[in-house]
Amino acid sequence: MKVLFVGPYPPPHGGISVHVWSAHALMKRTGQQSNVLNIDPRAPESDAYIKISGAMSLSRELFRHVTDDWLLNVHTNGENAKSWFIALACGLAAQAGPGASLTLHSGGVPGYLRQNTGWRRHLARFASLLYDRVVCVSEELAAAVAELGISAEKLQVTPAFLPIEAPDVEIPDQIRSWMEQHSPLVTATVFFRPEYGFEVLVEGISRLRKKYPEIGCLVMGSGENRPEAEAIIAGSGVSDSIHLVGDVQHELCLALMSRSSVFVRPTFRDGYSITVREALALGLPVVASNVGTRPSGTIVFAAGNVGELVEALKKVFQ
């Protein structure tokens, strides 16, 4: 069996890209043939995936693979028209090959599908019908897709998480030195966008410094609003307590998480959140906002409530 994963791939480090990375790595470890078609045209050149440069490049690679009997395994968020156009292109291409499955990841899918009653909704329905199977990461998401008229036989609810273990990788000297100077150590993965709650995290660290003056927070991730994030840190007076390490390889991200005291997910909007499950699988306490789907064992706080976040972290540090 030959499987072409179609979706984002790290960097940046995000839920869908991490899942694609994990699934691809698992297939390689088991000796099966797989490859990744990275749908982000801004992705750097890499031997880890096939890079596209636009719609024509995407179509060319899709048809090249399906006519060579590759199964398509498509991963997208499903919460905007662009993701459904990509799903449509992949579904159409799959008609010339052995088949395809579509995995929808985002907790924003139900709201998107129910708010759009025009051509966007028809686009999502038509694209979904082209697949042998539509995998949803939660029951709520599956219910919203079923409302499009997709049969229950085609739908499958499967959490987007694969077993992991802490990798044995070398931590860069600069990061390791910073970690050694801070305790307790908090880790977080974000995109620098408002829904990720970065300001909540910064304010929480600022308050905790009064009781834990050596506290440190490693933040992994990127985004167009990084300059604003740096300004928030400077304005809060916690520049020596928060270290923005940017995008890192997934193995390093897991290694850094496994060496911390707690993982924090302060989002205002969320879906399945693979990183929460990864942290729990590594045996790490997790403090997360009460949005999206939170697994058993997660310590939750009201989204945006800095006071609740601080109290939850204090309990972890005791």
Side-chain angles (χ1 to χ4, degrees):
M1 179 174 64
K2 299 184 292 187
V3 175
L4 179 68
F5 293 98
V6 183
Y9 193 88
H13 183 97
I16 304 177
S17 62
V18 165
H19 180 73
V20 171
W21 176 91
S22 300
H24 177 47
L26 179 61
M27 287 201 68
K28 289 194 297 182
R29 287 198 301 271
T30 56
Q32 301 183 68
Q33 191 171 0
S34 73
N35 209 338
V36 175
L37 182 59
N38 192 336
I39 60 174
D40 185 352
R42 301 166 299 176
E45 295 287 348
S46 173
D47 293 334
Y49 50 75
I50 301 168
K51 174 180 168 57
I52 65 167
S53 56
M56 290 300 296
S57 176
L58 171 65
S59 299
R60 183 171 59 251
E61 289 296 340
L62 288 173
F63 281 102
R64 181 171 74 86
H65 281 82
V66 298
T67 54
D68 192 29
D69 293 326
W70 286 73
L71 286 164
L72 298 184
N73 193 299
V74 183
H75 295 260
T76 188
N77 60 36
E79 62 176 33
N80 54 57
K82 179 181 177 182
S83 70
W84 285 108
F85 275 120
I86 291 173
L88 176 66
C90 295
L92 289 171
Q95 306 311 302
S101 65
L102 171 67
T103 300
L104 300 172
H105 289 259
S106 174
V109 172
Y112 175 82
L113 293 179
R114 289 163 179 158
Q115 290 167 11
N116 289 286
T117 57
W119 64 267
R120 291 178 177 84
R121 189 173 178 84
H122 293 302
L123 169 65
R125 181 178 187 277
F126 182 53
S128 298
L129 289 171
L130 294 170
Y131 288 86
D132 304 316
R133 184 173 70 257
V134 178
V135 180
C136 302
V137 301
S138 70
E139 293 285 354
E140 181 187 12
L141 201 160
V145 176
E147 291 171 9
L148 295 174
I150 307 303
S151 67
E153 291 76 16
K154 189 185 288 285
L155 291 172
Q156 175 181 323
V157 178
T158 303
F161 178 69
L162 296 170
I164 63 164
E165 58 184 28
D168 183 19
V169 299
E170 184 176 352
I171 296 177
D173 291 342
Q174 182 184 16
I175 298 178
R176 187 181 66 253
S177 175
W178 191 91
M179 293 171 67
E180 291 171 350
Q181 297 172 37
H182 294 83
S183 181
L185 184 64
V186 178
T187 49
T189 59
V190 305
F191 284 114
F192 293 113
R193 299 199 299 261
E195 65 266 30
Y196 276 80
F198 182 71
E199 289 186 70
V200 174
L201 177 63
V202 173
E203 177 60 24
I205 296 299
S206 177
R207 296 187 190 183
L208 285 164
R209 275 167 44 112
K210 298 173 183 177
K211 184 172 183 179
Y212 307 96
E214 302 302 319
I215 192 172
C217 181
L218 277 175
V219 180
M220 294 161 279
S222 63
E224 62 273 14
N225 294 333
R226 173 160 177 158
E228 288 87 342
E230 293 173 343
I232 290 170
I233 293 173
S236 299
V238 292
S239 298
D240 57 338
S241 296
I242 298 180
H243 187 16
L244 305 183
V245 299
D247 283 319
V248 298
Q249 293 296 321
H250 187 50
E251 297 95 331
L252 178 56
C253 176
L254 293 177
L256 295 175
M257 287 166 58
S258 69
R259 290 164 172 78
S260 66
S261 307
V262 62
F263 179 80
V264 176
R265 181 81 171 177
T267 48
F268 286 97
R269 180 167 61 88
D270 220 334
Y272 184 73
S273 185
I274 291 175
T275 51
V276 166
R277 285 156 176 82
E278 287 179 328
L280 290 170
L282 292 170
L284 195 64
V286 174
V287 175
S289 55
N290 60 347
V291 297
T293 303
R294 301 305 189 203
S296 175
T298 307
I299 303 167
V300 297
F301 68 97
N305 191 316
V306 179
E308 287 192 17
L309 169 62
V310 169
E311 290 306 311
L313 288 172
K314 285 181 178 179
K315 290 179 181 178
V316 171
F317 297 153
Q318 288 177 352

